Amino acid sequence: VTPAVRPTGTWDGRAFGHEAFVFSTDDEVVARCLPFVDEGLARGEAVVVVAGVRVRSLLEDALGDRLGQLASFDPAEGWWRGGHETLQAYDSALQQLQATGRPWRLIGEPAWLADKDGRVWSRFEAAVNRCYAHLRYYSLCLHDRRALTPAVVDVALATHPLTWGGSGPVPSPQYVGTDAYLRSVEPPWTQRPPDALRTDVTWAPDGRTWVREVVDRQGWRGRGAEIVLAVHELVTNALRAGGRAEVSTWPENGWTVWEVADSGPGLHDPVAGYVPPATDTSGGRGLWLARSLADDASVAAAGPGTRLRLYFRP
Amino acid sequence: MGVPTAVSHPVGRRRGDHLCWGYADYDQFRHTAAAFLEEGRRAGEQLLFVGDRAVPTLLDDLSPWSARDEVLATGQLCVQELTEVYECMADLDVEGQVATFRARCRSALAAGYSGLRVAADVTALIESVRDWDRFAAYELSVDEMMSTQPATGMCGWQEARADRPGALSALHRYQHRESGPVVFSVRRRGSVLRLTGEVDASVADDLAAVLRAAELPVARPVEVDLTELDFIDVAGTRALARFCDSAPAGVRIVGALDGVSRCLDLFGLPVDGRVAGCGP
């Protein structure tokens, strides 16, 4: 007796569902996606597809007339514009769907994971488990073993809480949780060297002047203005949190590290600023901007306050 | 043109310069005004000293100035009470007042002077005007008028009594402040608003206030020229984005430097000359 397939298990459309579906054959992907689409259409949900060439052509054939009932059916090829820009576009599409007030579902194939540059996306997959927890959609993320390295597939299973169990989604045995995954890929949190340059800032323009001078001495050219802006945004947040910011910088493993520490009480959330803030003109963009300007970033608690590090590679 | 300049002396000004002088005590201001007017005397300009005091008192205020009696006798110096210059202080007539100054410039030239130089303590005007925006709009208009006339002006106010002194200062190319830094300016030329200097979270509210006060043509997009804006952060850009949303015909942003563009992108503000905000 074959158990009845439940394409989204117990998902009730009230929160985020996040599944990594790993497949090796065309039949598998069709068998997984068709009931998923049909269930969504039957429930009156918007069904969105973003996928690579092969998956699109398989779904076009399999869906036939139902293709016209999808809310959108887009190529993944045009989506990758670097981590932050891709996420910004993705986020704005999500916010529009969220604004309808109804649940929706996505078949997404982040085909760019096949490229080295695209692998930073795994971090967002981990971060959205918390950042998007309140969004009312089920994200069925397709991973083609024929196109991806085993390591990339392992990361997918480590960053998605759900995977496919044959008749319904099941918890991914390899899932490590958002924080643990981010810690494993962010630069290791080291002791600040005693000879790091440091200053205390109580007024943001003073901080910018100091950072500009140091950046000039460090020999950054075109990138200098980005560093000044990124550090300034962290300083502004720190001043808001505790009226004072400690700024320091040192070289580490080929990076230049810029650290901004506040005396809190602030958020120590390692995912803060990982996804774009709301699209209206309210707050929250400074950290997102700082992260997008830097090559890497990490966050740690420091007593009641927070230490944020930005990493820049020449 | 150019970035806002913090000044510690009132002299060195040329025709077309618009200077503000925030002061802590009036005694300092009257000495400053005397030095400013003396420079105009040497340049052969018609001089006007204005304050919220009776004329004899205003004349006393200038007593440290050795040439005072001479310029008074020849008619080069004119001293007037604030209420005489600004007929209706509560409902300041922006266009009428600017037209009056323009006419005085012409009269000065007709009388053989090289231009008009005005030192005015406008603290009482700032306190009397019914809404702050009206005064700010007046300063924007005066600044624009002075850029085309042989006029030199110094607006003084006691900072402790002025609402939003940082934003008022920002309406001037040359700024003197007692209680705060000089970081940015906003000037209007036709339907173009020109931002200069640096705008960050510490002055974002001042920028928002100035932009609100800029009287905008309703029928066509306002142009915001950022060529001279060296730095803007997220908070400053947020003020700009709100202004774009509220402009009746939208805003066209031009001249953004790379770092500035990065922030504008974050708010979806186009930097390629397309119109941002609610277009027609």
Side-chain angles (χ1 to χ4, degrees):
Chain A
V1 179
T2 315
V5 168
R6 301 183 69 196
T8 52
T10 56
W11 179 71
D12 62 3
R14 290 194 193 158
F16 184 39
H18 196 200
E19 174 190 333
F21 177 71
V22 182
F23 60 94
S24 315
T25 66
D26 293 350
D27 290 347
E28 279 175 275
V29 75
V30 171
R32 175 69 187 99
C33 290
L34 275 196
F36 182 83
V37 169
D38 286 340
E39 182 186 74
L41 294 176
R43 290 186 188 176
E45 295 166 0
V47 181
V48 175
V49 175
V50 178
V53 180
R54 189 179 184 100
V55 167
R56 284 207 312 285
S57 100
L58 291 170
L59 292 182
E60 272 168 355
D61 291 346
L63 286 168
D65 293 346
R66 283 168 292 176
L67 202 60
Q69 296 175 52
L70 302 184
S72 62
F73 189 79
D74 291 330
E77 302 89 86
W79 265 86
W80 182 251
R81 282 171 272 164
H84 284 85
E85 271 195 61
T86 306
L87 189 61
Q88 198 156 13
Y90 178 65
D91 185 85
S92 104
L94 289 190
Q95 299 300 342
Q96 280 174 28
L97 286 158
Q98 179 75 4
T100 64
R102 300 204 27 85
W104 78 97
R105 60 181 62 198
L106 163 73
I107 295 175
E109 185 187 22
W112 47 83
L113 288 174
D115 303 320
K116 190 167 178 297
D117 287 350
R119 285 181 201 151
V120 68
W121 186 256
S122 299
R123 296 192 187 200
F124 303 126
E125 295 281 11
V128 296
N129 292 318
R130 275 235 298 290
C131 300
Y132 289 161
H134 62 290
L135 296 188
R136 304 175 60 185
Y137 77 116
Y138 192 102
S139 180
L140 173 59
C141 302
L142 307 183
H143 296 85
D144 188 341
R145 277 194 200 280
R146 297 165 297 185
L148 304 173
T149 65
V152 170
V153 170
D154 284 346
V155 166
L157 293 167
T159 54
H160 291 68
L162 299 173
T163 187
W164 186 240
S167 60
V170 294
S172 166
Q174 284 145 275
Y175 182 61
V176 296
T178 300
D179 294 1
Y181 178 74
L182 292 178
R183 262 198 303 277
S184 75
V185 290
E186 285 173 353
W189 192 273
T190 57
Q191 186 84 23
R192 182 175 69 185
D195 59 348
L197 297 173
R198 58 163 299 283
T199 190
D200 284 318
V201 178
T202 53
W203 190 55
D206 284 344
R208 289 202 300 278
T209 304
W210 189 78
V211 175
R212 271 187 198 119
E213 283 169 13
V214 175
V215 158
D216 283 348
R217 265 184 284 146
Q218 286 174 341
W220 299 94
R221 291 175 188 279
R223 197 91 193 271
E226 292 185 357
I227 297 174
V228 171
L229 177 57
V231 175
H232 164 83
E233 291 297 341
L234 300 189
V235 166
T236 299
N237 286 347
L239 295 179
R240 222 175 263 144
R244 185 185 144 272
E246 183 197 48
V247 181
S248 50
T249 180
W250 65 92
E252 183 177 303
N253 297 330
W255 306 92
T256 296
V257 185
W258 282 88
E259 180 184 280
V260 177
D262 66 51
S263 42
L267 289 171
H268 313 140
D269 192 343
V271 299
Y274 244 105
V275 300
T279 46
D280 61 19
T281 46
S282 60
R285 281 165 211 242
L287 189 49
W288 160 256
L289 176 64
R291 278 191 188 272
S292 68
L293 290 167
D295 295 307
D296 213 326
S298 54
V299 184
T306 308
R307 287 182 184 275
L308 272 140
R309 288 181 183 176
L310 301 176
Y311 299 80
F312 296 90
R313 201 180 281 287
Chain B
M1 296 287 195
V3 296
T5 304
V7 295
S8 50
H9 297 288
V11 295
R13 301 282 62 85
R14 292 177 303 178
R15 282 185 280 279
D17 283 353
H18 188 203
L19 162 72
C20 70
W21 198 274
Y23 63 84
D25 75 278
Y26 183 76
D27 194 51
Q28 184 220 24
F29 178 72
R30 66 192 185 97
H31 283 88
T32 301
F36 178 73
L37 292 171
E38 167 62 14
E39 184 176 61
R41 181 189 73 83
R42 290 164 188 256
E45 294 166 346
Q46 169 89 72
L47 310 172
L48 175 60
F49 182 54
V50 182
D52 185 34
R53 298 145 85 83
V55 167
T57 316
L58 287 169
L59 283 171
D60 275 353
D61 292 343
L62 296 179
S63 57
W65 181 17
S66 59
R68 180 196 65 173
D69 294 341
E70 176 201 326
V71 286
L72 201 58
T74 60
Q76 189 176 0
L77 172 68
C78 185
V79 175
Q80 278 187 294
E81 283 185 50
L82 196 63
T83 49
E84 196 185 333
V85 176
Y86 298 94
E87 282 173 10
C88 192
M89 302 226 292
D91 294 300
L92 182 63
D93 171 13
V94 173
E95 289 316 310
Q97 209 68 52
V98 171
T100 304
F101 272 118
R102 195 180 285 118
R104 287 186 92 137
C105 274
R106 277 199 298 270
S107 311
L109 292 177
Y113 294 105
S114 60
L116 175 70
R117 179 174 289 231
V118 183
D121 178 7
V122 293
T123 310
L125 177 59
I126 297 168
E127 286 180 327
S128 307
V129 69
R130 215 178 304 265
D131 70 279
W132 187 94
D133 287 11
R134 182 76 69 97
F135 183 76
Y138 170 62
E139 285 286 9
L140 282 165
S141 295
V142 165
D143 184 77
E144 185 168 12
M145 181 271 286
M146 291 197 357
S147 71
T148 62
Q149 303 289 324
T152 315
M154 178 169 76
C155 307
W157 54 73
Q158 192 179 345
E159 288 205 347
R161 285 165 60 196
D163 187 16
R164 293 196 167 281
L168 293 177
S169 289
L171 303 165
H172 302 75
R173 160 82 165 85
Y174 296 94
Q175 305 173 26
H176 174 82
R177 296 202 57 198
E178 280 295 322
S179 60
V182 170
V183 287
F184 81 109
S185 74
V186 177
R187 296 190 301 150
R188 192 186 60 203
R189 299 290 180 263
S191 61
V192 179
L193 289 172
R194 192 173 293 144
L195 270 61
T196 67
E198 304 199 355
V199 175
D200 69 7
S202 65
V203 295
D205 288 347
D206 287 339
L207 174 66
V210 170
L211 292 175
R212 248 195 329 270
E215 288 179 351
L216 306 166
V218 173
R220 60 197 164 115
V222 183
E223 186 170 305
V224 174
D225 184 345
L226 303 183
T227 312
E228 293 170 350
L229 187 69
D230 296 324
F231 179 86
I232 195 166
D233 70 354
V234 164
T237 309
R238 185 174 297 121
L240 191 57
R242 287 190 173 140
F243 170 69
C244 293
D245 284 344
S246 66
V251 173
R252 195 190 307 280
I253 296 168
V254 300
L257 303 174
D258 283 353
V260 170
S261 296
R262 194 74 193 231
C263 278
L264 300 183
D265 284 348
L266 206 58
F267 287 85
L269 297 177
V271 292
D272 54 2
R274 280 183 297 128
V275 175
C278 43

